[in-house]
Amino acid sequence: MTLTATQIQITPTKAPLGAVVTGIDASVAAQPEAILQLKQAWRDYHVLIFKNQQLTDDQLLAFANYFGDILQQPAYIRKRETEPYLPPLVLTLANAAAEESSVNLAPNYRELLPHIDHDWLPAPSSGSFLYGVELPENGPDTYWVNLIQAYEELDDATKEQIAGLQVRHFSSFSKLYKDEYSGPIYAAGRPAEPGERLATHPLVRTHPDTGKKVLFLNAAGEVDIVDYDPVEGAKLIERLREHIKQPHYVYQHDWSKGDLLYWDNQATAHYRPEFDANATRILKRVSIRGSRPF
Ligand SMILES: [Fe+2]
């Protein structure tokens, strides 16, 4: 069965980003008009929310492929291991209470701070899909931050101050989790450690499709500003991180089993609070290859 574009309904949320899409079954081939409508809605609303989906890994990959090549994350050495680990194209994100064999990424129930997926790659993912397989009754919700609006609402002096600045982003996975890491969050010119990845991006990036300016900054992990006074740089990053955490930039998603979200990593950051370590929470993630930020 295929669907025609006329059956699609796109309803923006009341938040500054996000739209609910109905009339799409992501497990089957879609009409060209439908895909074009989804691409436009994704540019307009930054997070698309598909309800009641039922997808195998292959179907998830096939649907994601409409929007670009699937990102293969590079191999890396995981904590307490010696052999490099090559992440699969469909990552299972699960906490320790979920079945051990399904865990592909560091299981964690602790607060996950606002971050942009793959900002530590020279060409970060353009977007990510997250599919809810098993969710606890009482959350946690996931929150997406509109980084275009966050840029627009900076005062003119700050916009001038940050124009042209380059930021180094480190792949310090453990530093994404609050309470797990208490070391510095400003790298202050330090080199990458063995096995650690590092990419340099403009602090204000231009969205490759819409040309809009984006405050391209995590509120987690270690960063620093290239050729900038370390004390002033740390202060500036801290101030900008507080800025993007403001609740009026946020769409808050209350998960149901079968939800599929597709968001723009070139325009948003995301986070979630700590949750019950004994609850089982399983999601699948696929990311789309992106281009070098400019
Ligand atoms: Fe993420």
Side-chain angles (χ1 to χ4, degrees):
M1 192 188 82
T2 55
L3 289 164
T4 62
T6 53
Q7 289 171 280
I8 292 186
Q9 276 213 340
I10 293 161
T11 310
T13 66
K14 292 185 171 63
L17 68 169
V20 177
V21 181
T22 55
I24 276 280
D25 176 352
S27 71
V28 295
Q31 294 290 344
E33 297 78 10
I35 298 303
L36 291 171
Q37 261 187 291
L38 294 178
K39 286 187 177 197
Q40 187 58 51
W42 186 75
R43 284 192 283 267
D44 291 342
Y45 304 113
H46 317 303
V47 182
L48 298 184
I49 302 138
F50 304 88
K51 304 292 288 184
N52 300 313
Q53 301 296 318
Q54 213 175 350
L55 299 171
T56 64
D57 285 3
D58 283 347
Q59 288 167 338
L60 175 56
L61 285 171
F63 185 64
N65 238 174
Y66 279 131
F67 304 93
D69 292 338
I70 309 298
L71 176 77
Q72 170 65 69
Q73 283 194 64
Y76 68 101
I77 296 177
R78 295 194 285 191
K79 235 197 264 181
R80 294 183 290 275
E81 289 183 15
T82 50
E83 292 299 311
Y85 163 75
L86 184 67
L89 295 180
V90 180
L91 279 176
T92 300
L93 309 183
N95 59 312
E99 196 185 337
E100 200 61 30
S101 63
S102 68
V103 174
N104 297 138
L105 205 66
N108 213 312
Y109 57 89
R110 294 192 181 89
E111 179 178 351
L112 184 55
L113 294 163
H115 66 280
I116 301 164
D117 290 344
H118 312 109
D119 66 323
W120 42 272
L121 283 176
S125 56
S126 58
S128 294
F129 288 82
L130 203 52
Y131 172 54
V133 177
E134 195 171 340
L135 290 314
E137 289 254 318
N138 304 319
D141 294 350
T142 305
Y143 298 72
W144 275 267
V145 182
N146 186 332
L147 294 176
I148 293 173
Q149 190 186 353
Y151 174 77
E152 283 168 358
E153 292 185 8
L154 289 171
D155 59 67
D156 289 345
T158 304
K159 283 181 182 165
E160 203 171 306
Q161 183 184 5
I162 66 176
L165 294 182
Q166 297 281 322
V167 169
R168 301 193 309 151
H169 297 239
F170 289 79
S171 66
S172 311
F173 294 124
S174 66
K175 294 167 197 173
L176 292 174
Y177 294 98
K178 205 177 170 184
D179 303 335
E180 200 177 66
Y181 176 75
S182 58
I185 54 163
Y186 195 80
R190 75 163 173 82
E193 291 164 6
E196 189 178 38
R197 290 181 178 273
L198 168 60
T200 303
H201 303 304
L203 178 52
V204 181
R205 85 177 278 188
T206 306
H207 194 282
D209 301 330
T210 63
K212 290 193 170 154
K213 299 283 184 207
V214 181
L215 185 55
F216 197 63
L217 183 66
N218 273 346
E222 217 173 335
V223 296
D224 63 5
I225 305 174
V226 177
D227 295 333
Y228 208 78
D229 177 81
V231 175
E232 289 307 311
K235 268 195 233 166
L236 176 57
I237 291 294
E238 196 183 331
R239 179 157 70 86
L240 294 173
R241 284 180 160 179
E242 286 307 313
H243 175 74
I244 65 172
K245 285 184 203 163
Q246 295 179 81
H248 73 278
Y249 296 138
V250 163
Y251 164 67
Q252 177 177 354
H253 186 69
D254 178 6
W255 286 94
S256 300
K257 184 183 164 76
D259 285 356
L260 174 66
L261 273 76
Y262 172 38
W263 70 90
D264 189 345
N265 283 318
Q266 306 155 135
T268 68
H270 54 283
Y271 62 95
R272 64 149 174 76
E274 181 172 329
F275 63 98
D276 178 3
N278 298 312
T280 297
R281 187 174 187 267
I282 304 171
L283 299 122
K284 301 225 173 183
R285 194 189 76 186
V286 169
S287 295
I288 305 296
R289 277 176 61 178
S291 50
R292 179 183 172 188
F294 57 91

